[in-house]
Amino acid sequence: MSKDKTDAPAPKKGKMKKLLMITVGAVVLIGAGAGVGMYFGVGMAAHAAKPEDHYPKLVVRDPSAEPAAKGEGDEAPAPKVGTVSVPNDKFKVDPRKYEITYVPIAQSFTTNLADGSGFLQIGISLSTFYDGKVVANVARQDVPIRSAVLMVLAEQDPALLSTSHGKQQLQRQLTGAINQVLRDKEGFGGIDNVYFTSLVIQ
């Protein structure tokens, strides 16, 4: 009988150990799952919170596309191919480091000149060092861009436009007006310059 009394509690201890091990294992798995979830959740939230992810990015020029001039490689290492996020589009971009894209505007612009003596007709193309987001923004904002360009053109003095200095000044005015439209409508300008593809004063 004494043997029966000592053998009886043994199964209870084995069950308790098993139950304790299952409980500890479950707690460890739940804790690990929560930790992984928090890690990825915080990482994704931090990435989603960056406003610069939505800005157009500068397109770095491919160094293998053009042979370097003699002595150029000594000054600085060649830039890497890729994109660079730049939240401020108001600074001057180094054209030797970044790829340029030209965006032709399909229809020409015609307007009366400020003094009423004639009219001005121009065709333009825009340039940008930024990625396709700027090109898409220009296409999306075609109507307000055309309106801004026509307003700038209507204020021009024909005598000034007949000079090289006057044409360069018009380029700067058009670049500023187009960038202002893009900043107002899209939050980012990105146009580097405006080029004339045709210019007629009559």
Side-chain angles (χ1 to χ4, degrees):
M1 286 195 139
S2 60
K3 281 185 181 180
D4 291 342
K5 285 182 183 177
T6 56
D7 291 344
K12 285 184 181 177
K13 282 186 181 177
K15 285 182 182 178
M16 289 291 279
K17 279 185 180 179
K18 223 182 234 184
L19 184 61
L20 185 62
M21 286 175 64
I22 289 172
T23 305
V24 169
V27 168
V28 168
L29 285 175
I30 290 170
V36 168
M38 285 177 62
Y39 174 78
F40 283 111
V42 169
M44 290 171 91
H47 181 70
K50 293 180 181 176
E52 60 267 18
D53 289 346
H54 302 291
Y55 290 129
K57 295 171 179 50
L58 288 168
V59 179
V60 180
R61 180 176 281 190
D62 183 352
S64 63
E66 298 176 29
K70 190 175 180 182
E72 273 186 19
D74 302 334
E75 296 170 11
K80 294 181 180 177
V81 179
T83 57
V84 178
S85 179
V86 179
N88 181 2
D89 68 328
K90 294 182 181 180
F91 74 98
K92 197 69 177 166
V93 175
D94 184 353
R96 296 169 299 175
K97 293 183 181 178
Y98 299 102
E99 201 64 53
I100 193 164
T101 301
Y102 296 100
V103 185
I105 303 298
Q107 295 178 341
S108 61
F109 297 83
T110 306
T111 185
N112 292 327
L113 291 166
D115 64 356
S117 63
F119 71 91
L120 170 66
Q121 184 178 55
I122 66 165
I124 61 172
S125 185
L126 315 178
S127 67
T128 181
F129 290 102
Y130 291 88
D131 61 21
K133 288 182 182 177
V134 170
V135 177
N137 291 348
V138 168
R140 188 168 34 252
Q141 301 304 332
D142 179 63
V143 172
I145 286 172
R146 291 189 69 80
S147 176
V149 168
L150 287 170
M151 285 192 282
V152 170
L153 295 178
E155 296 172 351
Q156 299 307 305
D157 177 4
L160 187 60
L161 278 181
S162 63
T163 67
S164 178
H165 173 73
K167 291 178 180 75
Q168 289 171 358
Q169 183 178 322
L170 178 57
Q171 280 183 299
R172 288 191 294 273
Q173 289 174 346
L174 291 174
T175 302
I178 292 168
N179 274 325
Q180 192 57 55
V181 168
L182 292 174
R183 286 187 197 107
D184 291 345
K185 302 290 186 182
E186 300 288 349
F188 194 92
I191 298 303
D192 177 67
N193 204 354
V194 172
Y195 294 96
F196 300 125
T197 55
S198 66
L199 195 154
V200 177
I201 303 170
Q202 284 189 345

